[in-house]
Structure formats: C-alpha cells, structure tokens
Amino acid sequence: MRWGISGGSPLLGREEERKALATLLEAVRDGLSGVLVLVGEAGIGKTRLLEHAASTATDLRISRVVGTEPEARLGFAALHRLLLPFLELKERLPAPQREALDAAFGLRSGPRPDRFLLGLACLTLLSEAAETRPLLCLVDDAQWLDRDSTEALAFVGRLHADGIGLVICVRDGDEAAWAGLPSQRLGGLEELDARDLLAASGATAASGATGASGGARLPPGTIARVIAETGGNPLALLELAGEPTGRLFPSAPLPSAPLPLGQRLEEHFLRQVRALPEQTQALLLLASLVPAGDTMLLWRAADELGLPATAADDAITAGILAERPFLAFRHPLIRSAVYGGAQAAERRQVHAALAAVLDPERDPDRRAWHLAEATVGIDEDVANQLVAASERARARGGYSAQATFLSRAAELTADLQDRAAQQVAAAQAYIIAGEPGTAQDLLDLSTAQRGDADTRAEAVRLNGSIEMAYLRVAAVPALLATAEPESGPLRRLMRLEAMQAALLARGRIDGATLWDVARLLLSEPPAGRDDLRPLDGLAVRVVDGWEKSVPVLRSAIAALLADENLRETGAPLAVLSSVAAEEIWDDRARRSVLDRIAAIDREQGALYALRTTLLGIATSDLWAGDFAAAQACHAEMEEIVAVMGLPAQGPVHRVELLAWQGREDEARAAAELVSAFVERTGLGVMVNRTRHALAVLDLSLGRYPEALAAAVQVFEDDPPSYGNLILPIVVEAAVRTGDDHMARRALDRLAFRSRICPTPWALGLHSRSRALLTDDAGACDALFQEAIGHLGRTMIATELARTHLLYGEWLRRRRRRSDARAQLRTAYGMFTTMGAAGFAERARTELKAIGDRTPRRGATPSTTSPRRNSASPCWPPPGPPTPRSPPGCSSRPRPSSTTSTRSSGSSA
C-alpha cells in the first residue's frame, strides 16, 4: 500500500486540533451548533483531520463535499452535491426559501434568488435534516468551491442552527471567504511526531531496505534535513521520503529560496504520472476534469477517447488513483498536477470528449463550458451556447458563473459590439457577485469603447458602481451624470444613481456640485414604474427649495405606502424614504414605510438592504425612547456585516445613540472615527449627522455654546433631513447663550416649515421653540402645553421628554415649584427609563434646586423594550415590560423567511 496523508497513515500530534474538533462534535450532539475552519498549506493534514472527525462522529449524520477545480466556475455545483441527500425535505421550507433553492438548482424557472435568501434556505434545510439526528457537514478543498456555494455555506457558518456542525478545510491564502468564522491554522508536525510518521511509513528502517512507498529508505543522517526541508508537512514527508536520496539532495547547493511546497509536491506527482503509459496519462487527465464520484461520465468519455478501463490499472498500482469508495485521485494535488502539467492540445481533446458525451438537454451548461474549453479562436455557435448558459446561471442567481460564461463568450465572438456588450454584462455580474475587483479588471481589458452608446454608458455606470462598492463616493456623481446613453430609462437610472451618490457625498463631490446633479435629474422625465421617486423630490429641494419639494415628497411617500409590490431597487430604498419622511415631518409614515421595507427584506433574505433598513429603524426606536431596541438593531446590523464578509465599521453609525445615552467619551471617540471615515470614503453626509449628534450630547450636558457651534453648521448647510432636525436644537442652544438673532432665524424657518407641513411633530417643535422666545408668561405657559399636546400624538418620545424638561426648567425659574416638580419628575422618569443619562442628570439637577430629594437613578440602556402607545398621552405604557434575551444566547429561533438573524433574538 502507498502511504499518503489520507490513506492508512496514522494521525500523529495535532492535539489542539483534535480537541477543537471534539468540542465541536460534543456541541452538535448536545443540540447546539459548531463551526471550524482548518487552514493550511497543501498536504499539511487538513483532509486527515476531516477523516478523523468523521471516524469519531459515527453517531451523527454526515454529509461531505469536496471542491474540485473544474467545478469552480459552475454556480451552486458544490452546494447541490452537499444538499442532495436532503432535498426531499425542501417542501417543509417557507415558500420564498423553497423557490430560491429550486431556482438555484435549476428545478424551476423564475426570478433569480437573492443570495442571502438562498443562504437562509440552506440553513433551514440543514436544520430540518438535523431535526431527527444531529448533522455534521464536512467540506474539503474549499478553495475550489464555486463562489455561489462558498457564499451560501459561509452564510450557514456565520449564523446558528441547532444540531449542525460545519468543518471546512481550505488552503493557505484562500481563507478570506470564511473570515469571521472560528478557525485554526495548521503548521507542520513537531520533529518527534514527524520522525514517528516516517518510522510508521517505513521510510526510516534499516539502511538498504526498500520503503513502503517504493523509494529508498532515508539514511539516518538525512532525516533531520528532510523534516527541515518539508517544514514538517506530513504529505511532503511521506512523498519526498520515497524519492531517491540523490534527487532529494543533489550535489549542487540547495537554492536559498526553495519553491513553494505545493509546487514542489505537484512537480513530484507529475514525475510519477509521466512515468506511466500514455493511455493511463490520458485517463488521468480525463479524471482530473470529472467530478469525484461521477464514474458513468468518466467511462463514457473514456470510451469516446478510445481509452480502455484497464488504463486505470497502472495508476492504481502506482498509488495515483484509489479504487474505493470510487475511482478518485489519492490527493487533490495530484489532480492539480495532472491538469496543470498537460499540454493545451491534450486538454482540448479531453474537453471535447466530455462535451460530446454530456446530454445537451440535462446538462447544457457544463456541456457549453467544455465546448468552449475545447475551442480555439472564434466560434459564434459556442459563444451563443455560453450566452444561453449565462442566462440560466443568472436566473439561478449564479452571478459568478454568469460572469464566467459571458467573459468566455466574448473571447469567442467576432462582432466587436457584441463582444463589448458581453464583457460589460459579465462585469455587471461580477459586481453583483461581490467581485468588484474582477469586474474592474474585465472592464479595463474590455472593448467597451467600441460598443454602442448604451454599452459605453453601461460601462461608465459599472465603474461608478465599483467606486461605490469601494466607498470612493466623491467622483461618482460627475462620472454618472456626464454619460449620455441613447436609452431614456438607462439615462434616467444613471441620473438617479448620480443624485444618490451626490446626496451621500454632499460638499465632497469632485467635478460637479449637488445642484448640477439635481438639475440634470430633473431634466429627465420619469419612465414608468419608479420606486426611486423620493430622489426627484430631493432634487427639487436642491434646485427649487424646500417648499416646492414638499408636494413631490408627499406624493412619493404616499406611493410607497400604497404600493402593494414594493421592492428594493439599486439605491437603498430605506434611506430615501426615511429622508423624504423627515423632510415633511411625518414620523408615522417614516416608521410605516421602514417596517414594510424590513418585512420585504427579511422575506427575500436581502441582507444588504436589511442592514440599511435597520439603521433607519434604529433611529425610529431611538426617537421613540426605546434605546434597547435601537441597540438591538445596531447589533443585528453588525451581525449582518459579518455574515456578508464586509469589514466592520465600528461605532460610526452609533454616534447619536451614544450621545442620547450620555456616553460622552464613547460618543466623541466615535465622532473622531467618523471624521477619518469621511476622509477615506467621501461620505460627506456623515458630517452633519455627527454634528447633530454632538449638539444633542452638549445640550444634555448643559454645554450650550458648544451645542450651538455644532448646530449652526448644520443649520447653514440645511441638508435634507438634518436641516429640519437641527432647528429646535439651534433655538434652544441660541436662547441659552443669548444669541437672539440666531434663535430667531431658526424659529422663522421652523415656523415656515411647520405651516407648510402642519404635522404634530412639526407643530409641537414649533410651539416649544416659540415658548423659549416668548416673554409673555401666559403665552409661554400655553405654548409649552400646546407642544406637549402635539408631541404626545407622535412617536417622538425623546422630544416629548425634552419638552417636559424645558417646561419644568421655565416653571422653576418662574418660582412655580409645584408645577415645575410635576414636569421635571415626568422628564426625569422618561429619561431614566430610556437610558438618556445626560438629560436625566440635567432634570435631576433641576429637581434638586427646588428641594426635591429625587434619588439618582442609573440611566443606562434599558434591558426591556417598552413601546410607547401612540394613542395614549402617558408614557411609558402600563403593564410589565417585555423580556429580552441577552445577546449571544445559545438557544436560537429556528430560521425562517421572517425570523430575525441577530443573536439577541429581539425584534427591531
């Protein structure tokens, strides 16, 4: 028998890795979940550890999949093989998940599935499979999985489901897709373990004997050198120890920088292969392209090539192929060596044979790919087959496969305009697949400039998308706004996306102004159904002013609320609807639209969109005084970022929450991070958001000059959303600092806007601000009570609490101690329940000044989630609080199309 890393070789050492696997298996047996990624160079022992896990988990249900290089371009190929034993259970899945899975595997036609909905479907299916018996999924050679399968399995690994274990083996340098999952990096064996392995293989027996591997046994003086040269790599030890000593250690000095071990091993295997008969080598090349276990395809293609089944005998004898459980390479590196070492003409011949025996009806995509690999030069027929395969891949949501098919089709297409269109479409598929770098490389090498006007414009649009993906926003508005496609809908879409980018960049736009971009958008007539209509209203605001934008924004919000088929579009719909609702002072519409969008995002598994929607919902929860719910939304956002494999952004989106909580040091530290974030990305919108948050913080601490300094900058800029929100802050800070002129300016703008949009939110803030500037005691008293009445009909509990505080402060200064005590106690109770520590302390100080011995109560983020009853003037509502599970609890809800994925299990 030939010794190898996964054959009869003993598992020596690896105590830490064995312990980690044992811990994972025990967790799975106990009904919990476990994930482990084993990372290491080729031959380091990852597969051997996988086999060890399988041998010690005979009481579990086991499903395996091995990545293969030929399948790396075929979308969902590996995922289909892993889930195949469980597909009979898919009827138990929620309809959206079942449809996503069917579409991915080509079992039904329909719209392409959202990749995160598909990941959720996989998680639910595996959960169903583990219902009766815990399940262990083993994934080997994960570097060769197709990207779509990788994303789905990474999703499964990052979330949690009861009774499922996942062990993934991936080669060094290819582990990025699994970032954030528990991992262990395998190094070489310790010297004593390496010597024991060599002894067990027979490689260090008495001098002159022949080793089990067929080569000369190692002389005692060379053992240490073999271990040092291989770095303790088990496969290298066993394979290279079988080489003649002269080949291992030639008389010439060893190079100072040896070849990478994987390449050295592949060359070693290639020497073994080339020593075999030609027919055997041809069969091995064929086997390197056939998925493991598909023996029927192997022998049909072998017959096409005229290769007898006996051609495998010499490879089995040499230890290149193993017979059980099916004919397969003994180690994946041998497969790589065989395919990589073949001549181009030999590869084409084998690809042609596979294309000839594949059924064009049952396996058209794989057949098209093999035809393409067998083709040299231009071939329009094969190119058309690849384009058809790309459409099928797109329908399944296999964007990487779609891109691969299209880019190869372009290479076989003669017409330059058709080639350009295919290259641009491939680049777009790469962007959707989350590969903006690959898309950029393809666009740089494409013939897009030889395409028609729409193709050239689409290439420009994709360059803008790539810039946005890398958070380089500043140049995008001008880039998109200057393109001139012939298609009206495409031109309008590019103007809309330019406007979106301009709103995000604000004053940091390169080569244009926000006014330029807005004017250009307004010159384009709407085209059919358009969920981006809030952008039109925001463009009107920039060009013609706030008043003229109100009817357009109202219409947009009404349409979004009435739209039964509301869906996500290219721009983040939650952001647009939030800003539009804030512009017209409609807090209830804002929350209603966000809740609808969140439900759609969850049903579709659209995590990228849900992440943005949760940011808007967190703000609604914050304004409602439900800081615990806002905190839970932020926690879920962070979990989604991890699931998507995006870099964590830290607390940059939590500045307002931290400010309201009175966590000054953390809020200011987060604000500093925002400054660096804006400098790096050009997202100028974050500047005013942060200024607003810091103004709130300084107000809570009684630092009125600092609050005014921050607020005035937002006031003068008057950006959408925050231009409204800053007005009552400017009035309060200016009154407290004696700046009557600034206070009047802000009040005038607030009066004008509340008259145009007389919502309870706007009217309440206007009445309160008027009260702060009124000298007449009777009028002031009435205005404060009027403000409380208006704000009591809103969902903005923070502003209601601030109104009680300001009213109480005014009453105390009028020496109306009893009335002041009632207002201040209400404010103090609301702030402490919320967790608004700064404002709570400000209220407590006022109470102390009138002799009220109100004890200091810890105003910390609530662990319960009280919801203000909008129909009742009292707050918080009566009754016991709703308990919340702490973050990180091990018992999780079963995944479904509407279940939140955050670890706390709480509802946003």
Side-chain angles (χ1 to χ4, degrees):
M1 182 184 94
R2 185 173 182 84
W3 285 78
I5 197 62
S6 59
S9 59
L11 179 59
L12 299 169
R14 305 298 187 200
E15 297 301 328
E16 186 177 346
E17 291 83 0
R18 287 199 234 195
K19 183 178 179 181
L21 288 170
T23 301
L24 182 149
L25 293 177
E26 283 307 307
V28 173
R29 290 185 180 104
D30 289 340
L32 303 177
S33 61
V35 182
L36 182 63
V37 181
L38 299 173
V39 183
E41 65 186 9
I44 202 65
K46 303 184 295 296
T47 301
R48 187 68 184 86
L49 281 167
L50 217 59
E51 291 177 347
H52 169 75
S55 68
T56 56
T58 53
D59 56 324
L60 305 181
R61 189 173 186 178
I62 297 176
S63 181
R64 297 178 181 232
V65 66
V66 180
T68 59
E69 192 171 1
E71 285 191 345
R73 302 179 183 91
L74 300 175
F76 304 111
L79 186 67
H80 184 265
R81 287 193 284 121
L82 181 72
L83 298 183
L84 189 60
F86 317 122
L87 288 182
E88 62 188 27
L89 302 173
K90 66 183 176 65
E91 295 307 316
R92 302 183 189 178
L93 272 58
Q97 295 182 24
R98 184 174 64 252
E99 292 167 3
L101 206 62
D102 284 346
F105 295 159
L107 301 176
R108 62 180 291 273
S109 60
R112 56 182 179 269
D114 181 278
R115 54 182 173 170
F116 298 114
L117 179 60
L118 178 65
L120 197 62
C122 296
L123 186 68
T124 309
L125 186 68
L126 293 173
S127 296
E128 292 290 344
E131 186 73 21
T132 56
R133 186 180 178 190
L135 173 65
L136 178 64
C137 298
L138 304 176
V139 182
D140 202 1
D141 280 321
Q143 71 276 1
W144 296 127
L145 298 185
D146 60 276
R147 182 181 178 90
D148 301 301
S149 296
T150 297
E151 286 182 347
L153 290 176
F155 185 104
V156 170
R158 291 190 177 100
L159 297 183
H160 300 262
D162 295 344
I164 298 177
L166 180 61
V167 183
I168 300 157
C169 295
V170 63
R171 199 174 293 178
D172 260 335
D174 294 299
E175 67 271 24
W178 312 98
L181 298 180
S183 65
Q184 285 194 272
R185 188 171 295 277
L186 275 63
L189 294 175
E190 299 290 339
E191 184 172 350
L192 288 178
D193 291 327
R195 287 178 178 274
D196 288 345
L197 182 61
L198 289 172
S201 72
T204 57
S207 178
T210 301
S213 63
R217 287 190 170 91
L218 293 174
T222 64
I223 295 174
R225 192 173 181 190
V226 167
I227 294 173
E229 274 292 297
T230 59
N233 182 295
L235 180 62
L237 285 168
L238 295 171
E239 294 294 336
L240 300 188
E243 291 279 1
T245 305
R247 181 175 291 170
L248 266 181
F249 303 112
S251 56
L254 290 171
S256 58
L259 292 171
L261 190 56
Q263 186 175 344
R264 295 171 67 189
L265 284 175
E266 287 191 357
E267 290 178 351
H268 160 75
F269 289 132
L270 199 55
R271 287 195 296 270
Q272 294 180 359
V273 169
R274 286 174 176 162
L276 299 173
E278 287 187 8
Q279 283 193 329
T280 302
Q281 291 186 51
L283 184 67
L284 289 174
L285 178 57
L286 176 62
S288 74
L289 286 167
V290 175
D294 197 345
T295 52
M296 181 66 71
L297 178 60
L298 175 67
W299 294 123
R300 288 176 61 203
D303 185 63
E304 178 75 14
L305 291 168
L307 299 175
T310 54
D313 292 345
D314 288 321
I316 294 170
T317 301
I320 299 297
L321 291 179
E323 290 185 276
R324 297 291 181 269
F326 43 77
L327 200 64
F329 288 99
R330 181 169 52 85
H331 193 277
L333 275 179
I334 306 177
R335 178 196 292 269
S336 300
V338 168
Y339 188 76
Q343 298 295 317
E346 295 170 336
R347 291 184 202 162
R348 289 196 297 270
Q349 185 179 17
V350 171
H351 280 293
L354 286 167
V357 300
L358 282 167
D359 189 330
E361 297 296 327
R362 298 181 59 186
D363 210 345
D365 297 350
R366 199 183 303 268
R367 181 176 180 273
W369 180 253
H370 284 300
L371 277 175
E373 292 298 278
T375 302
V376 179
I378 302 298
D379 192 316
E380 295 288 349
D381 179 62
V382 175
N384 290 335
Q385 292 189 50
L386 286 171
V387 171
S390 78
E391 285 301 304
R392 289 187 291 270
R394 182 192 60 79
R396 295 193 301 269
Y399 301 112
S400 292
Q402 178 195 4
T404 301
F405 286 136
L406 284 172
S407 57
R408 184 69 178 105
E411 296 171 5
L412 302 175
T413 298
D415 185 86
L416 290 179
Q417 289 201 358
D418 289 344
R419 178 182 295 185
Q422 290 161 359
Q423 290 170 328
V424 168
Q428 183 175 35
Y430 276 128
I431 291 172
I432 297 173
E435 300 182 60
T438 307
Q440 185 68 74
D441 292 341
L442 181 58
L443 286 175
D444 289 344
L445 297 173
S446 74
T447 59
Q449 291 309 309
R450 297 193 178 189
D452 59 25
D454 285 353
T455 299
R456 294 195 301 272
E458 192 64 58
V460 171
R461 178 172 174 250
L462 294 180
N463 275 309
S465 298
I466 292 168
E467 291 296 293
M468 294 292 284
Y470 284 116
L471 288 180
R472 300 189 295 248
V473 181
V476 174
L479 180 71
L480 297 179
T482 55
E484 289 295 339
E486 292 179 353
S487 165
L490 176 59
R491 186 167 56 251
R492 173 165 166 78
L493 178 60
M494 293 183 72
R495 303 293 190 257
L496 285 164
E497 291 179 347
M499 184 66 193
Q500 174 207 356
L503 288 168
L504 292 173
R506 295 293 298 169
R508 295 175 180 267
I509 303 173
D510 293 337
T513 66
L514 179 58
W515 190 88
D516 293 333
V517 178
R519 185 177 56 82
L520 199 58
L521 171 59
L522 295 178
S523 69
E524 294 292 333
R529 174 191 170 91
D530 188 356
D531 287 336
L532 299 181
R533 56 179 70 90
L535 280 170
D536 291 302
L538 296 173
V540 171
R541 187 198 197 282
V542 171
V543 174
D544 298 320
W546 178 85
E547 182 180 6
K548 291 187 177 180
S549 74
V550 169
V552 186
L553 292 171
R554 279 182 179 149
S555 174
I557 290 295
L560 291 174
L561 286 170
D563 192 343
E564 295 181 357
N565 299 308
L566 194 64
R567 67 174 187 268
E568 288 289 353
T569 54
L573 188 55
V575 172
L576 301 179
S577 57
S578 297
V579 173
E582 289 156 18
E583 279 291 275
I584 59 175
W585 300 98
D586 195 335
D587 58 306
R588 294 188 180 281
R590 181 187 191 277
R591 184 61 192 242
S592 295
V593 174
L594 287 175
D595 284 344
R596 288 195 65 203
I597 296 171
I600 292 167
D601 294 342
R602 292 189 191 281
E603 182 179 346
Q604 297 177 347
L607 291 195
Y608 184 84
L610 178 59
R611 169 178 167 268
T612 306
T613 306
L614 285 171
L615 181 60
I617 291 176
T619 302
S620 283
D621 285 331
L622 169 62
W623 293 346
D626 195 344
F627 293 3
Q631 184 79 21
C633 283
H634 284 291
E636 185 174 2
M637 287 167 57
E638 291 170 0
E639 194 165 299
I640 290 172
V641 167
V643 165
M644 295 174 64
L646 298 175
Q649 295 180 354
V652 294
H653 295 297
R654 295 181 186 241
V655 181
E656 186 176 4
L657 177 59
L658 292 169
W660 271 101
Q661 290 173 320
R663 295 156 66 174
E664 181 179 9
D665 291 344
E666 293 174 72
R668 296 198 188 282
E672 289 298 320
L673 292 177
V674 169
S675 298
F677 182 74
V678 171
E679 287 298 322
R680 185 173 69 253
T681 63
L683 284 168
V685 68
M686 297 289 289
V687 173
N688 284 320
R689 182 184 299 173
T690 305
R691 287 170 177 163
H692 171 266
L694 293 180
V696 169
L697 175 65
D698 284 323
L699 275 185
S700 73
L701 298 173
R703 297 172 182 166
Y704 302 111
E706 292 86 347
L708 183 60
V712 164
Q713 295 181 77
V714 184
F715 174 83
E716 298 296 353
D717 190 25
D718 191 25
S721 174
Y722 285 97
N724 279 354
L725 299 176
I726 207 67
L727 295 176
I729 294 176
V730 173
V731 172
E732 180 182 348
V735 166
R736 290 302 176 92
T737 55
D739 191 342
D740 186 69
H741 175 70
M742 192 69 242
R744 296 281 176 192
R745 286 184 63 200
L747 179 61
D748 289 346
R749 186 181 294 176
L750 181 54
F752 175 72
R753 294 185 178 180
S754 64
R755 187 169 62 253
I756 302 297
C757 294
T759 67
W761 187 8
L763 293 174
L765 294 178
H766 177 234
S767 295
R768 187 183 80 196
S769 298
R770 283 180 61 200
L772 292 175
L773 281 162
T774 299
D775 294 328
D776 184 286
C780 185
D781 204 338
L783 285 168
F784 270 123
Q785 293 185 35
E786 186 177 290
I788 290 171
H790 285 308
L791 292 172
R793 297 198 302 275
T794 73
M795 305 174 74
I796 317 294
T798 48
E799 292 296 350
L800 178 60
R802 284 185 60 211
T803 305
H804 283 295
L805 174 61
L806 289 167
Y807 189 19
E809 289 174 338
W810 179 81
L811 288 168
R812 186 184 73 80
R813 284 159 179 75
R814 302 293 296 179
R815 301 186 184 279
R816 293 168 56 182
R817 296 165 62 89
S818 178
D819 293 337
R821 182 179 290 109
Q823 295 298 326
L824 292 171
R825 281 183 173 177
T826 299
Y828 181 67
M830 292 180 70
F831 286 135
T832 52
T833 302
M834 294 174 190
F839 283 109
E841 180 59 20
R842 182 171 145 185
R844 195 187 73 85
T845 301
E846 290 288 325
L847 284 166
K848 184 178 178 181
I850 58 175
D852 192 304
R853 298 184 179 275
T854 302
R856 184 190 299 269
R857 292 160 56 187
T860 56
S862 174
T863 57
T864 60
S865 181
R867 289 257 183 223
R868 182 168 178 268
N869 183 352
S870 59
S872 171
C874 62
W875 191 97
T882 303
R884 284 181 174 267
S885 301
C889 60
S890 59
S891 178
R892 296 174 181 264
R894 294 187 60 77
S896 73
S897 62
T898 56
T899 298
S900 166
T901 57
R902 66 171 168 262
S903 58
S904 67
S906 57
S907 170

